[in-house]
Amino acid sequence: MNNLQFYSDQTIEGKIIASLERISQAFRVLLWQKSKEFSLTPLQTQILIFLLTQSEEKKKVSYLAKEFNVTKATISDTIKTLEQKSLIIKKNEILDSRSYIINLTKKGIEIAEQTSDFAKQIYIPVIKLSQNDKHNLLLSLIKVIEHLNKTGVISVLRMCTTCSYHQPSEDKNIVFCTLLNQELHYTDLRIDCQEHKMLDFLTIA
């Protein structure tokens, strides 16, 4: 396949890829605009929002480096800056003094909450879609994300479909979660689940 076909407006696949690229550009613009309001970089803002929603085992330099696909040195420098801004506080682990957990300060929580709606302008048109369009869009995006994870482009994934608690059923629209002990419709699947447990055959790059 000619590389130019990936961006060709002559195919529906090319149009979809071009559309996703435009949306990704919009995310970057919106994130940058919101970050500037608080004199932060986009990465600093993303880390604050991440720390607001995740459990303690994920609030470490090594995990953040995988999450945002940057080096540990970059994360360490970012954490140092956020600490200087009094937005985070480091707590040494009991069993390993060289390792620490990163928590938000009160000021950090306030800013994380205020910046977490940076993608609002993308949310507005999505919420106006019909339920059927939302359903199809979600399933399609899940398949794309799964592929990107399997090929190593996305290193960290906490979706239901890559979780050991996830059990497919004969009905393609229904799955079973052994943790919740209940059936879930595909539109109920989570993209970022706090209780996610990676399947044994899936590895994080």
Side-chain angles (χ1 to χ4, degrees), residues 28 35 75 80 124 131 139 141 147 150 155 168 178 187:
R28 291 195 294 270
S35 299
I75 293 295
K80 182 179 180 180
I124 290 173
Q131 286 302 112
L139 295 186
L141 291 175
H147 172 79
K150 290 177 181 178
S155 59
T178 58
T187 53

Side-chain angles (χ1 to χ4, degrees), residues 31-194:
L31 179 60
W32 180 254
Q33 289 176 343
K34 181 64 72 170
S35 299
K36 287 197 297 183
E37 291 180 22
F38 299 90
S39 300
L40 298 170
T41 66
L43 180 58
Q44 290 169 0
T45 299
Q46 287 178 299
I47 288 177
L48 291 179
I49 296 172
F50 183 85
L51 295 175
L52 181 67
T53 60
Q54 299 299 325
S55 56
E56 282 204 341
E57 63 266 19
K58 299 181 180 72
K59 298 179 180 181
K60 299 178 182 179
V61 169
S62 57
Y63 195 95
L64 290 172
K66 291 178 181 178
E67 175 73 23
F68 296 104
N69 198 28
V70 296
T71 64
K72 290 182 180 179
T74 297
I75 293 295
S76 294
D77 289 343
T78 304
I79 293 302
K80 182 179 180 180
T81 301
L82 291 174
E83 188 176 28
Q84 292 172 344
K85 292 175 179 285
S86 300
L87 300 179
I88 62 100
I89 186 170
K90 296 186 291 188
K91 181 178 73 174
N92 289 329
E93 292 199 90
I94 297 175
L95 299 178
D96 186 357
S97 59
R98 296 170 299 177
S99 179
Y100 55 85
I101 297 170
I102 307 157
N103 289 313
L104 295 173
T105 61
K106 182 179 179 180
K107 181 181 177 182
I109 292 173
E110 291 174 352
I111 291 181
E113 290 176 340
Q114 292 178 64
T115 56
S116 62
D117 69 341
F118 74 91
K120 181 180 179 181
Q121 291 305 318
I122 297 176
Y123 179 85
I124 290 173
V126 171
I127 200 173
K128 294 179 180 178
L129 296 174
S130 69
Q131 286 302 112
N132 188 56
D133 285 345
K134 291 176 187 176
H135 176 87
N136 292 332
L137 179 58
L138 175 60
L139 295 186
S140 298
L141 291 175
I142 286 176
K143 291 177 181 178
V144 172
I145 294 170
E146 286 177 338
H147 172 79
L148 294 175
N149 176 246
K150 290 177 181 178
T151 55
V153 178
I154 297 177
S155 59
V156 178
L157 198 60
R158 293 181 293 273
M159 291 199 317
C160 290
T161 52
T162 63
C163 182
S164 61
Y165 295 124
H166 171 272
Q167 298 292 328
S169 67
E170 293 183 2
D171 185 344
K172 294 183 179 181
N173 292 317
I174 300 293
V175 298
F176 189 83
C177 176
T178 58
L179 177 65
L180 299 176
N181 194 32
Q182 68 181 56
E183 289 186 339
L184 298 174
H185 193 275
Y186 261 98
T187 53
D188 297 322
L189 296 183
R190 297 178 182 178
I191 303 300
D192 190 357
C193 180
Q194 297 293 321

Side-chain angles (χ1 to χ4, degrees), residues 192-204:
D192 190 357
C193 180
Q194 297 293 321
E195 290 78 31
H196 183 274
K197 184 178 180 182
M198 185 66 71
L199 284 167
D200 292 337
F201 66 86
L202 291 174
T203 57
I204 295 177

